[in-house]
Amino acid sequence: PGRVVCSSTCYRAETDTGREPWGLYRVHQFTKVEMFGVTAAESGTESEELLAEFLALQKEIFSELGLHYRVLDMPTQELGLPAYRKFDIEAWMPGRNKYGEVRASGGGGGGCANPPH
């Protein structure tokens, strides 16, 4: 399978609504690192295997950073198109006294919903 990693600047319309006691948890602009993979559909398990590889790599990174984290296998109603499976990784945030999402990993379907322009 082909594997690519990239860094991108992202923007979101919504931010934290002020429910946090101090600071912001969700911000308008942030930078993220993304991992992408492309697999062939020879045995039918390639995509699932690559998703497991990416998830294992992310868990290794968070462990080596000494972060307390948990992995959530998200229910189908939380999936966007064309995802067939998604994992959220949440890290313990002492300032919030709770876990917060720091990473999401998902497996897409066999097609490209939005071809590159």
Side-chain angles (χ1 to χ4, degrees):
R3 296 168 185 83
V4 177
V5 64
C6 68
S7 173
S8 61
T9 301
C10 302
Y11 302 90
R12 73 165 50 100
E14 85 283 359
T15 61
D16 195 326
T17 58
R19 291 186 303 255
E20 297 296 324
W22 54 270
L24 286 176
Y25 172 60
R26 295 179 67 92
V27 294
H28 282 297
Q29 180 179 338
F30 57 98
T31 301
K32 67 180 176 179
V33 175
E34 298 189 80
M35 296 184 291
F36 296 96
V38 178
T39 62
E42 295 171 0
S43 69
T45 63
E46 293 87 356
S47 183
E48 187 75 24
E49 290 167 2
L50 186 59
L51 178 57
E53 178 184 324
F54 282 166
L55 183 59
L57 177 61
Q58 293 168 61
K59 289 165 62 175
E60 179 182 340
I61 291 168
F62 289 121
S63 291
E64 289 186 13
L65 289 171
L67 298 175
H68 298 281
Y69 68 90
R70 63 184 181 188
V71 178
L72 306 175
D73 190 349
M74 303 306 289
T76 55
Q77 64 266 28
E78 294 287 326
L79 304 180
L81 294 175
Y84 69 88
R85 190 149 190 208
K86 179 184 166 201
F87 296 96
D88 279 357
I89 299 177
E90 296 183 334
W92 180 253
M93 299 181 175
R96 300 178 71 218
N97 200 31
K98 60 184 174 180
Y99 283 89
E101 182 185 328
V102 293
R103 188 75 190 138
S105 294
C112 181
N114 296 304
H117 299 293

Coordinates of all heavy atoms in Angstrom, one line a residue, residues 10-17 20 23-31:
C10 N -5.5 24.0 9.1 CA -7.0 23.8 9.0 C -7.7 24.9 9.7 O -7.2 25.6 10.6 CB -7.3 22.5 9.7 SG -6.4 21.1 9.0
Y11 N -9.0 25.1 9.3 CA -9.9 26.1 9.8 C -11.2 25.4 10.1 O -11.6 24.6 9.4 CB -10.1 27.2 8.8 CG -8.8 27.9 8.4 CD1 -8.1 27.4 7.3 CD2 -8.3 29.0 9.1 CE1 -6.9 28.0 6.9 CE2 -7.1 29.6 8.8 CZ -6.4 29.1 7.7 OH -5.2 29.7 7.3
R12 N -11.8 25.8 11.2 CA -13.2 25.4 11.5 C -14.0 26.6 11.9 O -13.6 27.5 12.4 CB -13.1 24.3 12.6 CG -12.9 24.8 14.0 CD -13.3 23.8 15.1 NE -12.7 22.5 14.9 CZ -11.6 22.0 15.6 NH1 -11.0 22.8 16.4 NH2 -11.2 20.8 15.4
A13 N -15.3 26.5 11.5 CA -16.2 27.6 11.7 C -16.5 27.8 13.2 O -16.6 28.9 13.7 CB -17.5 27.4 10.9
E14 N -16.7 26.6 13.9 CA -17.1 26.7 15.3 C -15.9 26.7 16.2 O -14.8 26.1 15.8 CB -18.1 25.6 15.7 CG -17.4 24.3 16.1 CD -16.9 23.4 15.0 OE1 -17.0 23.8 13.8 OE2 -16.3 22.4 15.3
T15 N -16.0 27.3 17.4 CA -14.9 27.2 18.4 C -15.6 26.8 19.7 O -16.8 26.6 19.8 CB -14.2 28.5 18.6 OG1 -15.1 29.5 19.0 CG2 -13.5 29.0 17.3
D16 N -14.8 26.7 20.7 CA -15.3 26.4 22.1 C -16.4 27.4 22.4 O -16.3 28.6 22.1 CB -14.2 26.5 23.0 CG -14.5 25.9 24.4 OD1 -15.7 26.0 24.8 OD2 -13.6 25.3 25.0
T17 N -17.4 27.0 23.1 CA -18.5 27.9 23.4 C -18.4 28.6 24.7 O -19.3 29.2 25.2 CB -19.9 27.1 23.4 OG1 -19.8 26.1 24.3 CG2 -20.2 26.6 22.0
E20 N -15.6 26.0 29.0 CA -14.4 25.7 29.7 C -14.1 26.7 30.8 O -14.3 27.9 30.6 CB -13.2 25.6 28.7 CG -13.3 24.5 27.7 CD -13.4 23.1 28.3 OE1 -12.7 22.8 29.3 OE2 -14.1 22.3 27.7
G23 N -9.3 29.3 29.2 CA -8.7 29.0 27.9 C -9.7 28.4 26.9 O -10.9 28.3 27.1
L24 N -9.2 28.1 25.7 CA -10.0 27.5 24.7 C -9.6 26.1 24.4 O -8.4 25.8 24.4 CB -9.9 28.3 23.4 CG -10.6 29.6 23.3 CD1 -10.2 30.3 22.0 CD2 -12.1 29.5 23.4
Y25 N -10.5 25.2 24.2 CA -10.2 23.8 23.8 C -10.2 23.7 22.3 O -9.4 23.1 21.7 CB -11.1 22.8 24.5 CG -11.0 21.4 24.0 CD1 -9.8 20.7 24.1 CD2 -12.1 20.8 23.4 CE1 -9.7 19.4 23.7 CE2 -11.9 19.5 22.9 CZ -10.7 18.8 23.1 OH -10.6 17.5 22.6
R26 N -11.2 24.2 21.6 CA -11.4 24.2 20.2 C -11.1 25.6 19.7 O -11.7 26.5 20.1 CB -12.8 23.7 19.8 CG -13.0 22.3 20.2 CD -14.4 21.8 19.8 NE -14.6 21.7 18.4 CZ -14.4 20.6 17.7 NH1 -14.0 19.5 18.2 NH2 -14.6 20.6 16.4
V27 N -10.3 25.7 18.7 CA -9.9 27.0 18.1 C -10.2 27.0 16.6 O -10.5 26.0 16.0 CB -8.4 27.3 18.4 CG1 -8.1 27.5 19.9 CG2 -7.5 26.2 17.8
H28 N -10.3 28.2 16.1 CA -10.6 28.4 14.6 C -9.5 27.8 13.7 O -9.8 27.2 12.7 CB -10.8 29.9 14.3 CG -12.1 30.4 14.7 ND1 -13.3 30.0 14.2 CD2 -12.4 31.4 15.6 CE1 -14.3 30.7 14.8 NE2 -13.8 31.5 15.6
Q29 N -8.2 28.1 14.1 CA -7.1 27.7 13.2 C -6.2 26.8 13.9 O -5.9 27.0 15.1 CB -6.4 28.9 12.7 CG -5.2 28.6 11.8 CD -4.5 29.9 11.3 OE1 -5.1 31.0 11.3 NE2 -3.3 29.7 10.9
F30 N -5.8 25.7 13.3 CA -4.8 24.8 13.9 C -4.1 24.1 12.8 O -4.4 24.1 11.6 CB -5.5 23.8 14.8 CG -6.6 23.0 14.1 CD1 -6.4 21.7 13.7 CD2 -7.9 23.5 13.9 CE1 -7.4 21.0 13.1 CE2 -8.9 22.8 13.3 CZ -8.6 21.5 12.9
T31 N -3.0 23.5 13.2 CA -2.1 22.7 12.2 C -2.2 21.2 12.6 O -2.2 20.9 13.8 CB -0.7 23.1 12.3 OG1 -0.6 24.5 12.0 CG2 0.2 22.4 11.3

